[in-house]
Amino acid sequence: PETNPIEIAWASEGVNAWLNQLAGRAQSNVERIRAEPRLLVEAFMDALPQTLFVLLPVFALLLKIFYLFKKRLYMEHLIVALHSHAFLCLAILCLVGLGALRDATEGVAVVHAALGWVELVPARWMPLYLLVMHRRVCRQNWFMSRLKYCVLGTCYLVLLSVGAAFNLALSVVAM
């Protein structure tokens, strides 16, 4: 902020000072992250729930667009989005718990390896469950269900990545 200050011509001095303060804070936090990379992982995991929450109505809007001719209300798509996100959060919680348990049993090779295989169950079940749920809710044939599932999944993954990156950048500043 001192050597290369941010100066936006149309912004007030207060806004420019605030942006420079945020840039200085981000710079010092990046140095902390270099010293302890685990802080970045923690900041990302802290940013993920807010990102998912903000993207809920966006995902429901995507569903509404993809199923425009099904004559369903936006609220129905929002309920499907809530259900999908709740399932994903539960599955991710299971994965995190199994990962922590696996790390705790690192000295016992058999248990450690077995937990590695057990972790595959929720990891494999997440996309399969979402596909089956998507087909049942939307009542389409398998071809159209898979096609829309893949396109919707790709669109949502891009949105989630952009949202998480933005939220992560804000988290780095706020650390």
PDB file of all heavy atoms in Angstrom, residues 133-168:
ATOM      1  N   MET A 133     -31.355 -39.052  -7.723  1.00  0.00           N
ATOM      2  CA  MET A 133     -32.309 -38.082  -7.195  1.00  0.00           C
ATOM      3  C   MET A 133     -32.792 -37.141  -8.303  1.00  0.00           C
ATOM      4  O   MET A 133     -33.980 -36.865  -8.431  1.00  0.00           O
ATOM      5  CB  MET A 133     -31.662 -37.275  -6.061  1.00  0.00           C
ATOM      6  CG  MET A 133     -32.601 -36.367  -5.320  1.00  0.00           C
ATOM      7  SD  MET A 133     -32.574 -34.583  -5.654  1.00  0.00           S
ATOM      8  CE  MET A 133     -30.967 -34.178  -6.113  1.00  0.00           C
ATOM      9  N   HIS A 134     -31.860 -36.705  -9.126  1.00  0.00           N
ATOM     10  CA  HIS A 134     -32.181 -35.805 -10.240  1.00  0.00           C
ATOM     11  C   HIS A 134     -33.165 -36.476 -11.203  1.00  0.00           C
ATOM     12  O   HIS A 134     -34.136 -35.861 -11.631  1.00  0.00           O
ATOM     13  CB  HIS A 134     -30.884 -35.421 -10.955  1.00  0.00           C
ATOM     14  CG  HIS A 134     -31.059 -34.503 -12.094  1.00  0.00           C
ATOM     15  ND1 HIS A 134     -31.219 -33.153 -11.941  1.00  0.00           N
ATOM     16  CD2 HIS A 134     -31.115 -34.733 -13.428  1.00  0.00           C
ATOM     17  CE1 HIS A 134     -31.354 -32.596 -13.117  1.00  0.00           C
ATOM     18  NE2 HIS A 134     -31.297 -33.531 -14.040  1.00  0.00           N
ATOM     19  N   ARG A 135     -32.934 -37.739 -11.509  1.00  0.00           N
ATOM     20  CA  ARG A 135     -33.818 -38.470 -12.427  1.00  0.00           C
ATOM     21  C   ARG A 135     -35.206 -38.643 -11.822  1.00  0.00           C
ATOM     22  O   ARG A 135     -36.213 -38.475 -12.508  1.00  0.00           O
ATOM     23  CB  ARG A 135     -33.233 -39.828 -12.773  1.00  0.00           C
ATOM     24  CG  ARG A 135     -34.086 -40.545 -13.808  1.00  0.00           C
ATOM     25  CD  ARG A 135     -33.500 -41.885 -14.205  1.00  0.00           C
ATOM     26  NE  ARG A 135     -34.348 -42.517 -15.185  1.00  0.00           N
ATOM     27  CZ  ARG A 135     -35.468 -43.168 -14.922  1.00  0.00           C
ATOM     28  NH1 ARG A 135     -35.912 -43.255 -13.686  1.00  0.00           N
ATOM     29  NH2 ARG A 135     -36.174 -43.732 -15.881  1.00  0.00           N
ATOM     30  N   ARG A 136     -35.278 -38.986 -10.555  1.00  0.00           N
ATOM     31  CA  ARG A 136     -36.589 -39.204  -9.916  1.00  0.00           C
ATOM     32  C   ARG A 136     -37.384 -37.916  -9.776  1.00  0.00           C
ATOM     33  O   ARG A 136     -38.594 -37.895  -9.977  1.00  0.00           O
ATOM     34  CB  ARG A 136     -36.407 -39.840  -8.545  1.00  0.00           C
ATOM     35  CG  ARG A 136     -36.061 -41.297  -8.649  1.00  0.00           C
ATOM     36  CD  ARG A 136     -36.079 -41.952  -7.304  1.00  0.00           C
ATOM     37  NE  ARG A 136     -35.680 -43.346  -7.440  1.00  0.00           N
ATOM     38  CZ  ARG A 136     -35.442 -44.129  -6.416  1.00  0.00           C
ATOM     39  NH1 ARG A 136     -35.555 -43.674  -5.190  1.00  0.00           N
ATOM     40  NH2 ARG A 136     -35.087 -45.374  -6.618  1.00  0.00           N
ATOM     41  N   VAL A 137     -36.712 -36.851  -9.421  1.00  0.00           N
ATOM     42  CA  VAL A 137     -37.416 -35.580  -9.233  1.00  0.00           C
ATOM     43  C   VAL A 137     -37.893 -35.027 -10.575  1.00  0.00           C
ATOM     44  O   VAL A 137     -39.024 -34.553 -10.692  1.00  0.00           O
ATOM     45  CB  VAL A 137     -36.509 -34.554  -8.516  1.00  0.00           C
ATOM     46  CG1 VAL A 137     -37.092 -33.155  -8.574  1.00  0.00           C
ATOM     47  CG2 VAL A 137     -36.290 -34.963  -7.073  1.00  0.00           C
ATOM     48  N   CYS A 138     -37.051 -35.105 -11.574  1.00  0.00           N
ATOM     49  CA  CYS A 138     -37.384 -34.501 -12.867  1.00  0.00           C
ATOM     50  C   CYS A 138     -38.178 -35.426 -13.779  1.00  0.00           C
ATOM     51  O   CYS A 138     -38.691 -34.977 -14.803  1.00  0.00           O
ATOM     52  CB  CYS A 138     -36.109 -34.034 -13.544  1.00  0.00           C
ATOM     53  SG  CYS A 138     -35.289 -32.776 -12.556  1.00  0.00           S
ATOM     54  N   ARG A 139     -38.228 -36.700 -13.465  1.00  0.00           N
ATOM     55  CA  ARG A 139     -39.041 -37.680 -14.197  1.00  0.00           C
ATOM     56  C   ARG A 139     -38.754 -37.671 -15.693  1.00  0.00           C
ATOM     57  O   ARG A 139     -39.666 -37.530 -16.514  1.00  0.00           O
ATOM     58  CB  ARG A 139     -40.525 -37.439 -13.940  1.00  0.00           C
ATOM     59  CG  ARG A 139     -40.920 -37.655 -12.512  1.00  0.00           C
ATOM     60  CD  ARG A 139     -42.430 -37.518 -12.353  1.00  0.00           C
ATOM     61  NE  ARG A 139     -42.783 -37.575 -10.947  1.00  0.00           N
ATOM     62  CZ  ARG A 139     -43.225 -36.543 -10.251  1.00  0.00           C
ATOM     63  NH1 ARG A 139     -43.404 -35.389 -10.822  1.00  0.00           N
ATOM     64  NH2 ARG A 139     -43.520 -36.675  -8.985  1.00  0.00           N
ATOM     65  N   GLN A 140     -37.491 -37.815 -16.035  1.00  0.00           N
ATOM     66  CA  GLN A 140     -37.104 -37.907 -17.435  1.00  0.00           C
ATOM     67  C   GLN A 140     -36.387 -39.225 -17.662  1.00  0.00           C
ATOM     68  O   GLN A 140     -36.000 -39.910 -16.713  1.00  0.00           O
ATOM     69  CB  GLN A 140     -36.204 -36.737 -17.825  1.00  0.00           C
ATOM     70  CG  GLN A 140     -36.947 -35.421 -17.885  1.00  0.00           C
ATOM     71  CD  GLN A 140     -36.094 -34.311 -18.431  1.00  0.00           C
ATOM     72  OE1 GLN A 140     -34.905 -34.244 -18.176  1.00  0.00           O
ATOM     73  NE2 GLN A 140     -36.711 -33.422 -19.193  1.00  0.00           N
ATOM     74  N   ASN A 141     -36.162 -39.548 -18.935  1.00  0.00           N
ATOM     75  CA  ASN A 141     -35.455 -40.789 -19.228  1.00  0.00           C
ATOM     76  C   ASN A 141     -33.988 -40.659 -18.829  1.00  0.00           C
ATOM     77  O   ASN A 141     -33.503 -39.565 -18.546  1.00  0.00           O
ATOM     78  CB  ASN A 141     -35.617 -41.180 -20.709  1.00  0.00           C
ATOM     79  CG  ASN A 141     -35.026 -40.141 -21.646  1.00  0.00           C
ATOM     80  OD1 ASN A 141     -33.974 -39.573 -21.398  1.00  0.00           O
ATOM     81  ND2 ASN A 141     -35.724 -39.886 -22.738  1.00  0.00           N
ATOM     82  N   TRP A 142     -33.291 -41.775 -18.829  1.00  0.00           N
ATOM     83  CA  TRP A 142     -31.904 -41.791 -18.356  1.00  0.00           C
ATOM     84  C   TRP A 142     -31.000 -40.926 -19.221  1.00  0.00           C
ATOM     85  O   TRP A 142     -30.110 -40.255 -18.707  1.00  0.00           O
ATOM     86  CB  TRP A 142     -31.364 -43.221 -18.290  1.00  0.00           C
ATOM     87  CG  TRP A 142     -31.755 -43.907 -17.038  1.00  0.00           C
ATOM     88  CD1 TRP A 142     -32.694 -44.887 -16.892  1.00  0.00           C
ATOM     89  CD2 TRP A 142     -31.227 -43.656 -15.732  1.00  0.00           C
ATOM     90  NE1 TRP A 142     -32.794 -45.254 -15.567  1.00  0.00           N
ATOM     91  CE2 TRP A 142     -31.898 -44.516 -14.832  1.00  0.00           C
ATOM     92  CE3 TRP A 142     -30.281 -42.781 -15.224  1.00  0.00           C
ATOM     93  CZ2 TRP A 142     -31.641 -44.539 -13.474  1.00  0.00           C
ATOM     94  CZ3 TRP A 142     -30.015 -42.801 -13.864  1.00  0.00           C
ATOM     95  CH2 TRP A 142     -30.684 -43.664 -13.004  1.00  0.00           C
ATOM     96  N   PHE A 143     -31.212 -40.933 -20.532  1.00  0.00           N
ATOM     97  CA  PHE A 143     -30.346 -40.145 -21.406  1.00  0.00           C
ATOM     98  C   PHE A 143     -30.455 -38.656 -21.085  1.00  0.00           C
ATOM     99  O   PHE A 143     -29.446 -37.978 -20.885  1.00  0.00           O
ATOM    100  CB  PHE A 143     -30.687 -40.403 -22.882  1.00  0.00           C
ATOM    101  CG  PHE A 143     -29.889 -39.531 -23.819  1.00  0.00           C
ATOM    102  CD1 PHE A 143     -28.551 -39.807 -24.064  1.00  0.00           C
ATOM    103  CD2 PHE A 143     -30.458 -38.416 -24.415  1.00  0.00           C
ATOM    104  CE1 PHE A 143     -27.794 -38.992 -24.895  1.00  0.00           C
ATOM    105  CE2 PHE A 143     -29.719 -37.598 -25.244  1.00  0.00           C
ATOM    106  CZ  PHE A 143     -28.381 -37.892 -25.496  1.00  0.00           C
ATOM    107  N   MET A 144     -31.689 -38.132 -21.037  1.00  0.00           N
ATOM    108  CA  MET A 144     -31.869 -36.705 -20.753  1.00  0.00           C
ATOM    109  C   MET A 144     -31.440 -36.363 -19.330  1.00  0.00           C
ATOM    110  O   MET A 144     -30.866 -35.295 -19.092  1.00  0.00           O
ATOM    111  CB  MET A 144     -33.330 -36.305 -20.965  1.00  0.00           C
ATOM    112  CG  MET A 144     -33.729 -36.183 -22.419  1.00  0.00           C
ATOM    113  SD  MET A 144     -32.674 -35.068 -23.369  1.00  0.00           S
ATOM    114  CE  MET A 144     -33.089 -33.491 -22.676  1.00  0.00           C
ATOM    115  N   SER A 145     -31.694 -37.284 -18.402  1.00  0.00           N
ATOM    116  CA  SER A 145     -31.277 -37.044 -17.020  1.00  0.00           C
ATOM    117  C   SER A 145     -29.762 -36.924 -16.921  1.00  0.00           C
ATOM    118  O   SER A 145     -29.243 -36.012 -16.279  1.00  0.00           O
ATOM    119  CB  SER A 145     -31.762 -38.167 -16.114  1.00  0.00           C
ATOM    120  OG  SER A 145     -33.152 -38.107 -15.977  1.00  0.00           O
ATOM    121  N   ARG A 146     -29.055 -37.843 -17.561  1.00  0.00           N
ATOM    122  CA  ARG A 146     -27.582 -37.793 -17.514  1.00  0.00           C
ATOM    123  C   ARG A 146     -27.043 -36.564 -18.229  1.00  0.00           C
ATOM    124  O   ARG A 146     -26.095 -35.942 -17.755  1.00  0.00           O
ATOM    125  CB  ARG A 146     -26.984 -39.063 -18.095  1.00  0.00           C
ATOM    126  CG  ARG A 146     -27.050 -40.223 -17.124  1.00  0.00           C
ATOM    127  CD  ARG A 146     -26.329 -41.408 -17.657  1.00  0.00           C
ATOM    128  NE  ARG A 146     -27.201 -41.979 -18.702  1.00  0.00           N
ATOM    129  CZ  ARG A 146     -26.911 -43.032 -19.429  1.00  0.00           C
ATOM    130  NH1 ARG A 146     -25.770 -43.637 -19.260  1.00  0.00           N
ATOM    131  NH2 ARG A 146     -27.748 -43.487 -20.322  1.00  0.00           N
ATOM    132  N   LEU A 147     -27.643 -36.240 -19.375  1.00  0.00           N
ATOM    133  CA  LEU A 147     -27.188 -35.075 -20.119  1.00  0.00           C
ATOM    134  C   LEU A 147     -27.361 -33.800 -19.294  1.00  0.00           C
ATOM    135  O   LEU A 147     -26.417 -33.021 -19.126  1.00  0.00           O
ATOM    136  CB  LEU A 147     -27.951 -34.965 -21.441  1.00  0.00           C
ATOM    137  CG  LEU A 147     -27.592 -33.772 -22.322  1.00  0.00           C
ATOM    138  CD1 LEU A 147     -26.153 -33.909 -22.810  1.00  0.00           C
ATOM    139  CD2 LEU A 147     -28.547 -33.666 -23.479  1.00  0.00           C
ATOM    140  N   LYS A 148     -28.547 -33.596 -18.756  1.00  0.00           N
ATOM    141  CA  LYS A 148     -28.801 -32.391 -17.956  1.00  0.00           C
ATOM    142  C   LYS A 148     -27.990 -32.410 -16.663  1.00  0.00           C
ATOM    143  O   LYS A 148     -27.512 -31.365 -16.215  1.00  0.00           O
ATOM    144  CB  LYS A 148     -30.293 -32.251 -17.655  1.00  0.00           C
ATOM    145  CG  LYS A 148     -31.089 -31.835 -18.868  1.00  0.00           C
ATOM    146  CD  LYS A 148     -32.536 -31.618 -18.538  1.00  0.00           C
ATOM    147  CE  LYS A 148     -33.301 -31.171 -19.771  1.00  0.00           C
ATOM    148  NZ  LYS A 148     -34.716 -30.922 -19.479  1.00  0.00           N
ATOM    149  N   TYR A 149     -27.809 -33.583 -16.079  1.00  0.00           N
ATOM    150  CA  TYR A 149     -27.001 -33.727 -14.862  1.00  0.00           C
ATOM    151  C   TYR A 149     -25.560 -33.290 -15.134  1.00  0.00           C
ATOM    152  O   TYR A 149     -24.976 -32.546 -14.338  1.00  0.00           O
ATOM    153  CB  TYR A 149     -27.057 -35.180 -14.401  1.00  0.00           C
ATOM    154  CG  TYR A 149     -26.155 -35.526 -13.246  1.00  0.00           C
ATOM    155  CD1 TYR A 149     -26.526 -35.230 -11.946  1.00  0.00           C
ATOM    156  CD2 TYR A 149     -24.941 -36.169 -13.457  1.00  0.00           C
ATOM    157  CE1 TYR A 149     -25.712 -35.557 -10.880  1.00  0.00           C
ATOM    158  CE2 TYR A 149     -24.119 -36.503 -12.399  1.00  0.00           C
ATOM    159  CZ  TYR A 149     -24.512 -36.193 -11.121  1.00  0.00           C
ATOM    160  OH  TYR A 149     -23.697 -36.513 -10.071  1.00  0.00           O
ATOM    161  N   CYS A 150     -25.002 -33.733 -16.251  1.00  0.00           N
ATOM    162  CA  CYS A 150     -23.619 -33.375 -16.585  1.00  0.00           C
ATOM    163  C   CYS A 150     -23.473 -31.881 -16.883  1.00  0.00           C
ATOM    164  O   CYS A 150     -22.539 -31.236 -16.404  1.00  0.00           O
ATOM    165  CB  CYS A 150     -23.125 -34.206 -17.772  1.00  0.00           C
ATOM    166  SG  CYS A 150     -22.866 -35.932 -17.382  1.00  0.00           S
ATOM    167  N   VAL A 151     -24.404 -31.333 -17.649  1.00  0.00           N
ATOM    168  CA  VAL A 151     -24.329 -29.907 -17.982  1.00  0.00           C
ATOM    169  C   VAL A 151     -24.556 -29.055 -16.735  1.00  0.00           C
ATOM    170  O   VAL A 151     -23.808 -28.098 -16.479  1.00  0.00           O
ATOM    171  CB  VAL A 151     -25.322 -29.555 -19.110  1.00  0.00           C
ATOM    172  CG1 VAL A 151     -25.354 -28.056 -19.359  1.00  0.00           C
ATOM    173  CG2 VAL A 151     -24.963 -30.297 -20.387  1.00  0.00           C
ATOM    174  N   LEU A 152     -25.593 -29.404 -15.952  1.00  0.00           N
ATOM    175  CA  LEU A 152     -25.852 -28.669 -14.708  1.00  0.00           C
ATOM    176  C   LEU A 152     -24.672 -28.786 -13.745  1.00  0.00           C
ATOM    177  O   LEU A 152     -24.283 -27.808 -13.116  1.00  0.00           O
ATOM    178  CB  LEU A 152     -27.103 -29.213 -14.020  1.00  0.00           C
ATOM    179  CG  LEU A 152     -28.428 -28.604 -14.398  1.00  0.00           C
ATOM    180  CD1 LEU A 152     -29.568 -29.444 -13.861  1.00  0.00           C
ATOM    181  CD2 LEU A 152     -28.539 -27.192 -13.902  1.00  0.00           C
ATOM    182  N   GLY A 153     -24.115 -29.997 -13.634  1.00  0.00           N
ATOM    183  CA  GLY A 153     -22.968 -30.213 -12.751  1.00  0.00           C
ATOM    184  C   GLY A 153     -21.772 -29.388 -13.160  1.00  0.00           C
ATOM    185  O   GLY A 153     -21.082 -28.803 -12.323  1.00  0.00           O
ATOM    186  N   THR A 154     -21.520 -29.320 -14.460  1.00  0.00           N
ATOM    187  CA  THR A 154     -20.392 -28.524 -14.954  1.00  0.00           C
ATOM    188  C   THR A 154     -20.618 -27.040 -14.683  1.00  0.00           C
ATOM    189  O   THR A 154     -19.717 -26.346 -14.204  1.00  0.00           O
ATOM    190  CB  THR A 154     -20.189 -28.769 -16.462  1.00  0.00           C
ATOM    191  OG1 THR A 154     -19.975 -30.171 -16.672  1.00  0.00           O
ATOM    192  CG2 THR A 154     -19.010 -27.986 -16.993  1.00  0.00           C
ATOM    193  N   CYS A 155     -21.829 -26.563 -14.984  1.00  0.00           N
ATOM    194  CA  CYS A 155     -22.140 -25.148 -14.720  1.00  0.00           C
ATOM    195  C   CYS A 155     -22.002 -24.831 -13.235  1.00  0.00           C
ATOM    196  O   CYS A 155     -21.417 -23.809 -12.856  1.00  0.00           O
ATOM    197  CB  CYS A 155     -23.557 -24.818 -15.184  1.00  0.00           C
ATOM    198  SG  CYS A 155     -23.791 -24.833 -16.955  1.00  0.00           S
ATOM    199  N   TYR A 156     -22.522 -25.722 -12.404  1.00  0.00           N
ATOM    200  CA  TYR A 156     -22.467 -25.476 -10.965  1.00  0.00           C
ATOM    201  C   TYR A 156     -21.036 -25.562 -10.440  1.00  0.00           C
ATOM    202  O   TYR A 156     -20.658 -24.788  -9.560  1.00  0.00           O
ATOM    203  CB  TYR A 156     -23.378 -26.447 -10.221  1.00  0.00           C
ATOM    204  CG  TYR A 156     -23.501 -26.105  -8.765  1.00  0.00           C
ATOM    205  CD1 TYR A 156     -24.163 -24.952  -8.373  1.00  0.00           C
ATOM    206  CD2 TYR A 156     -22.932 -26.901  -7.785  1.00  0.00           C
ATOM    207  CE1 TYR A 156     -24.275 -24.609  -7.041  1.00  0.00           C
ATOM    208  CE2 TYR A 156     -23.041 -26.562  -6.452  1.00  0.00           C
ATOM    209  CZ  TYR A 156     -23.708 -25.420  -6.090  1.00  0.00           C
ATOM    210  OH  TYR A 156     -23.802 -25.076  -4.777  1.00  0.00           O
ATOM    211  N   LEU A 157     -20.255 -26.475 -10.975  1.00  0.00           N
ATOM    212  CA  LEU A 157     -18.852 -26.583 -10.556  1.00  0.00           C
ATOM    213  C   LEU A 157     -18.083 -25.313 -10.895  1.00  0.00           C
ATOM    214  O   LEU A 157     -17.277 -24.837 -10.096  1.00  0.00           O
ATOM    215  CB  LEU A 157     -18.207 -27.802 -11.200  1.00  0.00           C
ATOM    216  CG  LEU A 157     -16.820 -28.166 -10.711  1.00  0.00           C
ATOM    217  CD1 LEU A 157     -16.838 -28.497  -9.220  1.00  0.00           C
ATOM    218  CD2 LEU A 157     -16.292 -29.353 -11.495  1.00  0.00           C
ATOM    219  N   VAL A 158     -18.349 -24.744 -12.056  1.00  0.00           N
ATOM    220  CA  VAL A 158     -17.706 -23.475 -12.430  1.00  0.00           C
ATOM    221  C   VAL A 158     -18.156 -22.368 -11.475  1.00  0.00           C
ATOM    222  O   VAL A 158     -17.324 -21.599 -10.964  1.00  0.00           O
ATOM    223  CB  VAL A 158     -18.017 -23.114 -13.902  1.00  0.00           C
ATOM    224  CG1 VAL A 158     -17.598 -21.691 -14.222  1.00  0.00           C
ATOM    225  CG2 VAL A 158     -17.332 -24.102 -14.843  1.00  0.00           C
ATOM    226  N   LEU A 159     -19.472 -22.283 -11.217  1.00  0.00           N
ATOM    227  CA  LEU A 159     -19.975 -21.278 -10.275  1.00  0.00           C
ATOM    228  C   LEU A 159     -19.380 -21.459  -8.884  1.00  0.00           C
ATOM    229  O   LEU A 159     -18.986 -20.493  -8.231  1.00  0.00           O
ATOM    230  CB  LEU A 159     -21.495 -21.360 -10.181  1.00  0.00           C
ATOM    231  CG  LEU A 159     -22.299 -20.706 -11.280  1.00  0.00           C
ATOM    232  CD1 LEU A 159     -23.773 -21.058 -11.147  1.00  0.00           C
ATOM    233  CD2 LEU A 159     -22.121 -19.210 -11.251  1.00  0.00           C
ATOM    234  N   LEU A 160     -19.325 -22.704  -8.439  1.00  0.00           N
ATOM    235  CA  LEU A 160     -18.776 -23.000  -7.111  1.00  0.00           C
ATOM    236  C   LEU A 160     -17.297 -22.634  -7.044  1.00  0.00           C
ATOM    237  O   LEU A 160     -16.839 -22.068  -6.049  1.00  0.00           O
ATOM    238  CB  LEU A 160     -18.978 -24.476  -6.773  1.00  0.00           C
ATOM    239  CG  LEU A 160     -18.593 -24.926  -5.376  1.00  0.00           C
ATOM    240  CD1 LEU A 160     -19.439 -24.222  -4.331  1.00  0.00           C
ATOM    241  CD2 LEU A 160     -18.760 -26.435  -5.251  1.00  0.00           C
ATOM    242  N   SER A 161     -16.556 -22.919  -8.096  1.00  0.00           N
ATOM    243  CA  SER A 161     -15.126 -22.592  -8.130  1.00  0.00           C
ATOM    244  C   SER A 161     -14.905 -21.086  -8.084  1.00  0.00           C
ATOM    245  O   SER A 161     -14.062 -20.599  -7.328  1.00  0.00           O
ATOM    246  CB  SER A 161     -14.476 -23.175  -9.382  1.00  0.00           C
ATOM    247  OG  SER A 161     -14.600 -24.561  -9.399  1.00  0.00           O
ATOM    248  N   VAL A 162     -15.669 -20.358  -8.886  1.00  0.00           N
ATOM    249  CA  VAL A 162     -15.535 -18.896  -8.898  1.00  0.00           C
ATOM    250  C   VAL A 162     -15.956 -18.323  -7.543  1.00  0.00           C
ATOM    251  O   VAL A 162     -15.266 -17.463  -6.972  1.00  0.00           O
ATOM    252  CB  VAL A 162     -16.364 -18.283 -10.047  1.00  0.00           C
ATOM    253  CG1 VAL A 162     -16.461 -16.769  -9.923  1.00  0.00           C
ATOM    254  CG2 VAL A 162     -15.762 -18.664 -11.385  1.00  0.00           C
ATOM    255  N   GLY A 163     -17.076 -18.817  -7.012  1.00  0.00           N
ATOM    256  CA  GLY A 163     -17.545 -18.342  -5.710  1.00  0.00           C
ATOM    257  C   GLY A 163     -16.575 -18.656  -4.591  1.00  0.00           C
ATOM    258  O   GLY A 163     -16.310 -17.818  -3.730  1.00  0.00           O
ATOM    259  N   ALA A 164     -16.034 -19.881  -4.599  1.00  0.00           N
ATOM    260  CA  ALA A 164     -15.074 -20.264  -3.555  1.00  0.00           C
ATOM    261  C   ALA A 164     -13.783 -19.458  -3.676  1.00  0.00           C
ATOM    262  O   ALA A 164     -13.209 -19.051  -2.664  1.00  0.00           O
ATOM    263  CB  ALA A 164     -14.788 -21.755  -3.630  1.00  0.00           C
ATOM    264  N   ALA A 165     -13.326 -19.209  -4.908  1.00  0.00           N
ATOM    265  CA  ALA A 165     -12.109 -18.408  -5.095  1.00  0.00           C
ATOM    266  C   ALA A 165     -12.326 -16.976  -4.599  1.00  0.00           C
ATOM    267  O   ALA A 165     -11.457 -16.406  -3.922  1.00  0.00           O
ATOM    268  CB  ALA A 165     -11.699 -18.407  -6.563  1.00  0.00           C
ATOM    269  N   PHE A 166     -13.481 -16.410  -4.915  1.00  0.00           N
ATOM    270  CA  PHE A 166     -13.798 -15.062  -4.454  1.00  0.00           C
ATOM    271  C   PHE A 166     -13.889 -15.020  -2.931  1.00  0.00           C
ATOM    272  O   PHE A 166     -13.333 -14.128  -2.280  1.00  0.00           O
ATOM    273  CB  PHE A 166     -15.110 -14.603  -5.082  1.00  0.00           C
ATOM    274  CG  PHE A 166     -15.525 -13.220  -4.680  1.00  0.00           C
ATOM    275  CD1 PHE A 166     -14.863 -12.109  -5.179  1.00  0.00           C
ATOM    276  CD2 PHE A 166     -16.562 -13.024  -3.789  1.00  0.00           C
ATOM    277  CE1 PHE A 166     -15.237 -10.838  -4.804  1.00  0.00           C
ATOM    278  CE2 PHE A 166     -16.947 -11.754  -3.404  1.00  0.00           C
ATOM    279  CZ  PHE A 166     -16.287 -10.660  -3.914  1.00  0.00           C
ATOM    280  N   ASN A 167     -14.580 -16.000  -2.366  1.00  0.00           N
ATOM    281  CA  ASN A 167     -14.736 -16.062  -0.919  1.00  0.00           C
ATOM    282  C   ASN A 167     -13.401 -16.338  -0.233  1.00  0.00           C
ATOM    283  O   ASN A 167     -13.129 -15.820   0.849  1.00  0.00           O
ATOM    284  CB  ASN A 167     -15.772 -17.123  -0.550  1.00  0.00           C
ATOM    285  CG  ASN A 167     -16.473 -16.818   0.737  1.00  0.00           C
ATOM    286  OD1 ASN A 167     -16.104 -15.909   1.458  1.00  0.00           O
ATOM    287  ND2 ASN A 167     -17.485 -17.593   1.029  1.00  0.00           N
ATOM    288  N   LEU A 168     -12.570 -17.147  -0.851  1.00  0.00           N
ATOM    289  CA  LEU A 168     -11.237 -17.408  -0.307  1.00  0.00           C
ATOM    290  C   LEU A 168     -10.388 -16.134  -0.297  1.00  0.00           C
ATOM    291  O   LEU A 168      -9.680 -15.867   0.678  1.00  0.00           O
ATOM    292  CB  LEU A 168     -10.542 -18.514  -1.101  1.00  0.00           C
ATOM    293  CG  LEU A 168      -9.149 -18.903  -0.652  1.00  0.00           C
ATOM    294  CD1 LEU A 168      -9.168 -19.436   0.770  1.00  0.00           C
ATOM    295  CD2 LEU A 168      -8.572 -19.952  -1.595  1.00  0.00           C
TER     296      LEU A 168
END
